[in-house]
Amino acid sequence: MRKTPWLPFALLCMLGACTHRISYDTIIHDGLIYDGNGGNPYHADIAINADTIAAVGDLSDATAKLQLKANGLAVAPGFINMLGQSMETLIEDGRSQSDLRQGVTLEVFGEGWSMGPLNPKMKKEMQEDQPLIKYKVGWTTLQEYLQFLTKKGISCNVASFVGATTVRTYVVGEDNRAPTPAELDSMRMLVRQAMEDGALGVGSSLIYPPAFFAKTDELIALCKEASKYGGSYISHIRSEGNKLYEGVEELITIAREAGVHAEIYHLKAAGKNNWKKMDSVIRRIERARKDGLDITANMYTYTAAATGMTASFPPSLQDGGFGKLWKRLQDRNTRARMKIAMDSNPGDWENYYYGAGSADKVLLLGFRRDSLRKYLGKTLAEVAKARHKSPEETAMDLIVQDSSRVDVAYFVMTEENLEKQIAQPWVSFGSDEGSYSPEGVFLKVHPHPRAYGNFARVIGKYVNQEKVLSLPQAIHQLSKLPAENLKLKKRGEIKVGNYADILIFDPAKFKDNATFDKPQQFATGMIDVFVNGVEVLKDGEHTNYKPGRIVYGPGKK
């Protein structure tokens, strides 16, 4: 019997004697790819191996353990929430449902306050100040907190700035004074440590105590440390109303002097008297960018801001922290002065109560005490009427009774300005809210609807309805733009070698459903979400997988 001559396997395949096919972990077939760059979409398949995009193109001859048919739906990089306030809500529920169902695969923390570094006093206060979500503060540094979060299990990725307020409180406390040279050196050292641990840069919130006690030179000093590591400066600027121009110019000055990329948190012109300023603000930012400064901004897509009732009180009465304010509000003479201050239009501090125009434009969102939660979703005017007191007295009473700043929404912006801001190619998006699910302890809060709708609203309202943006440009501003601003590696773009944070959604059906009356309603239209190659949303439902990771800044060692 004659034997068949031996031939190398590769040669046999070339001669058609084998049918070996490339195999992947996952293939998404027939998607309309919006790669994050802002250009026209294209039809292609995407292959994933482990946590990485392995191929993009025609993969009809390849095999995979998991194969999905996108059927021409939009396939895009995961969205980045530039201002997530879910530091505690993710401890309670790592699924991150309200954001994930909008396509958010990365939450960025650190608006002035970060979850580290903490000294013993700060740790004790954080442990004791937990009205709803209970957890053990077992960390000291910011990196240790992020490690705690990912070890516990989360469905989204997380990153954080180190808070200028946190660093100041760690060293100086909550008093209205400048740090000594030795104290400033300690603050700079804390920033360096945080940057080497992977912080994105320095974040500030200059409207709130004790943050507004920091002067510009202090912030420049901290940002110079972040700059050495390629970090950024991001800020709730010192004024969004009467001194909006000055607030923007201070940020530009810090960017120039420290040599950092600088971003404005939730860009806005707050208060009717200030609405006309937005055109000039945009021109100022454009001028700075043309001069070579890297200035950007983020925003939420609603006309109501959300913060504390204490944003209606002057800084002079908040010196020393909330505890001292709480005591001052129980003094008759102080209350009389406070009432006058609430009804004033000051030039040297931000009065959100005055900016809203009336008590019926102040919506109550959050209390600590169960006895006060009956007022959730009501306006300050309605509660004042029910209590037979003035709105100003009612505001002070609620703060004293709740022992908190009382979370509220102020209707202080205009739709016209929102559309102007959204259209700017250097604007990305942040919810400035936690990530919730309408169940459990979260039913005790009445969040701003931006928690459930901020990102879906970009496409559902401002692309589909108002035509402010094209869909490719909106996806760019939701994904690659913030990734580039933060100098993140392998995120924000559909590209071979990048991490597989991928969305499949129906642009025509993608919309927000949350309202101010009924905020806890998921967005619809998001079908599948992958985080680091793992399918965390399947056919619109959460899979309970938690593959989220820490995304480190450029200075990580």
Side-chain angles (χ1 to χ4, degrees):
M1 184 175 68
R2 298 178 62 183
K3 293 182 179 180
T4 303
W6 178 86
L7 289 173
F9 180 76
L11 181 57
L12 287 169
C13 288
M14 289 174 65
L15 296 173
C18 74
T19 57
H20 178 69
R21 302 170 70 188
I22 300 174
S23 181
Y24 299 99
D25 290 337
T26 302
I27 297 178
I28 301 169
H29 290 285
D30 186 29
L32 186 58
I33 311 299
Y34 294 81
D35 61 13
N37 288 296
N40 291 330
Y42 55 91
H43 284 277
D45 308 322
I46 296 177
I48 301 169
N49 272 338
D51 61 358
T52 301
I53 298 173
V56 179
D58 182 358
L59 303 175
S60 55
D61 290 334
T63 64
K65 300 171 188 174
L66 174 65
Q67 299 198 49
L68 287 80
K69 292 185 178 180
N71 295 322
L73 293 175
V75 179
F79 300 156
I80 296 174
N81 185 349
M82 280 298 297
L83 179 49
Q85 301 286 15
S86 52
M87 296 85 70
E88 292 183 319
T89 60
L90 285 175
I91 296 175
E92 176 69 20
D93 183 356
R95 293 174 299 170
S96 191
Q97 291 235 63
S98 62
D99 266 2
L100 198 69
R101 289 168 183 259
Q102 298 181 75
V104 172
T105 58
L106 172 60
E107 299 273 351
V108 181
F109 310 141
E111 188 198 8
W113 176 263
S114 56
M115 297 297 272
L118 305 175
N119 62 28
K121 181 175 183 290
M122 295 163 74
K123 289 181 70 170
K124 181 175 182 291
E125 290 176 349
M126 183 181 287
Q127 187 68 68
E128 294 174 349
D129 187 24
Q130 297 177 3
L132 286 179
I133 299 171
K134 309 297 181 182
Y135 54 92
K136 181 181 179 181
V137 184
W139 64 86
T140 298
T141 69
L142 177 57
Q143 180 178 227
E144 288 169 351
Y145 158 75
L146 294 172
Q147 290 170 338
F148 157 78
L149 204 57
T150 53
K151 184 178 179 180
K152 192 174 188 298
I154 50 176
S155 296
C156 59
N157 298 312
V158 289
S160 184
F161 288 84
V162 62
T165 309
T166 305
V167 169
R168 175 176 243 274
T169 303
Y170 189 107
V171 176
V172 177
E174 297 186 79
D175 295 336
N176 183 6
R177 66 174 181 85
T180 66
E183 287 173 333
L184 186 58
D185 283 344
S186 296
M187 293 165 67
R188 293 169 67 177
M189 179 191 70
L190 290 172
V191 171
R192 289 196 298 272
Q193 290 175 344
M195 293 303 298
E196 292 180 3
D197 280 349
L200 300 172
V202 173
S204 70
S205 51
L206 302 178
I207 189 176
Y208 303 115
F212 49 46
F213 300 142
K215 300 297 188 287
T216 307
D217 58 349
E218 177 183 322
L219 297 166
I220 290 172
L222 299 184
C223 288
K224 282 183 176 179
E225 299 302 327
S227 178
K228 295 174 184 177
Y229 298 89
S232 300
Y233 173 59
I234 191 165
S235 179
H236 180 145
I237 57 178
R238 205 174 292 272
S239 174
E240 298 171 329
N242 289 348
K243 290 198 170 183
L244 175 59
Y245 295 152
E246 293 87 339
V248 172
E249 290 299 335
E250 181 184 34
L251 178 125
I252 292 172
T253 296
I254 292 169
R256 181 184 298 110
E257 295 299 317
V260 293
H261 157 247
E263 176 148 329
I264 298 172
Y265 272 132
H266 40 64
L267 179 66
K268 66 172 72 74
K272 187 174 183 178
N273 293 340
N274 301 304
W275 291 345
K276 62 182 179 293
K277 296 179 179 179
M278 184 50 63
D279 288 336
S280 180
V281 166
I282 291 171
R283 287 195 298 270
R284 286 167 190 247
I285 294 173
E286 292 281 10
R287 186 165 60 245
R289 289 170 60 86
K290 287 178 181 177
D291 288 342
L293 296 179
D294 188 5
I295 309 295
T296 55
N298 61 67
M299 62 177 289
Y300 46 82
T301 51
Y302 296 82
T303 57
T307 183
M309 190 82 78
T310 49
S312 302
F313 299 158
S316 59
L317 291 175
Q318 302 189 58
D319 186 3
F322 178 81
K324 291 186 177 180
L325 171 67
W326 185 80
K327 290 181 179 178
R328 290 171 184 139
L329 287 179
Q330 297 173 67
D331 176 76
R332 182 182 302 175
N333 293 330
T334 301
R335 286 173 67 97
R337 295 201 310 273
M338 189 76 80
K339 186 175 186 298
I340 294 171
M342 288 181 69
D343 293 319
S344 70
N345 187 21
D348 58 346
W349 60 279
E350 203 89 326
N351 185 349
Y352 264 68
Y353 178 73
Y354 185 91
S358 63
D360 62 353
K361 294 181 181 178
V362 180
L363 189 69
L364 301 174
L365 300 181
F367 294 98
R368 295 171 181 265
R369 310 293 182 194
D370 288 337
S371 59
L372 295 174
R373 291 194 178 112
K374 61 187 176 184
Y375 298 134
L376 290 175
K378 297 185 181 299
T379 67
L380 180 60
E382 290 173 325
V383 177
K385 184 177 179 181
R387 287 183 161 214
H388 306 290
K389 286 191 173 182
S390 71
E392 297 85 354
E393 291 172 317
T394 301
M396 289 183 272
D397 287 345
L398 291 174
I399 289 170
V400 171
Q401 291 162 14
D402 200 49
S403 296
S404 82
R405 66 178 196 158
V406 179
D407 295 330
V408 298
Y410 298 95
F411 289 82
V412 291
M413 282 99 78
T414 170
E415 183 67 31
E416 181 183 2
N417 278 343
L418 291 189
E419 295 187 8
K420 288 177 183 177
Q421 296 163 208
I422 290 169
Q424 303 309 312
W426 36 264
V427 168
S428 56
F429 300 92
S431 68
D432 198 6
E433 256 288 5
S435 188
Y436 306 96
S437 186
E439 59 187 72
V441 71
F442 297 142
L443 295 177
K444 293 186 176 183
V445 299
H446 188 97
H448 191 298
R450 65 194 182 191
Y452 283 81
N454 189 63
F455 306 94
R457 194 173 175 84
V458 175
I459 293 172
K461 179 175 174 63
Y462 294 103
V463 171
N464 293 345
Q465 296 178 16
E466 307 301 334
K467 314 298 183 185
V468 176
L469 290 174
S470 69
L471 182 57
Q473 182 61 25
I475 290 172
H476 170 70
Q477 289 175 225
L478 286 159
S479 57
K480 189 173 182 181
L481 174 65
E484 287 182 328
N485 290 340
L486 297 174
K487 301 182 179 67
L488 303 183
K489 296 178 181 178
K490 304 196 324 183
R491 306 278 180 186
E493 182 181 0
I494 300 291
K495 179 182 177 182
V496 173
N498 278 12
Y499 291 110
D501 298 339
I502 299 173
L503 315 177
I504 304 173
F505 66 98
D506 186 340
K509 296 180 180 178
F510 191 35
K511 70 184 187 75
D512 62 301
N513 298 302
T515 64
F516 283 98
D517 289 337
K518 296 180 179 179
Q520 301 222 40
Q521 301 185 78
F522 288 131
T524 48
M526 185 61 59
I527 299 169
D528 292 276
V529 175
F530 288 81
V531 175
N532 300 315
V534 178
E535 193 174 19
V536 291
L537 200 72
K538 180 179 181 180
D539 296 328
E541 296 298 326
H542 205 288
T543 64
N544 289 319
Y545 289 123
K546 296 177 181 178
R549 298 176 183 170
I550 303 170
V551 176
Y552 291 110
K556 171 64 176 172
K557 288 191 174 180

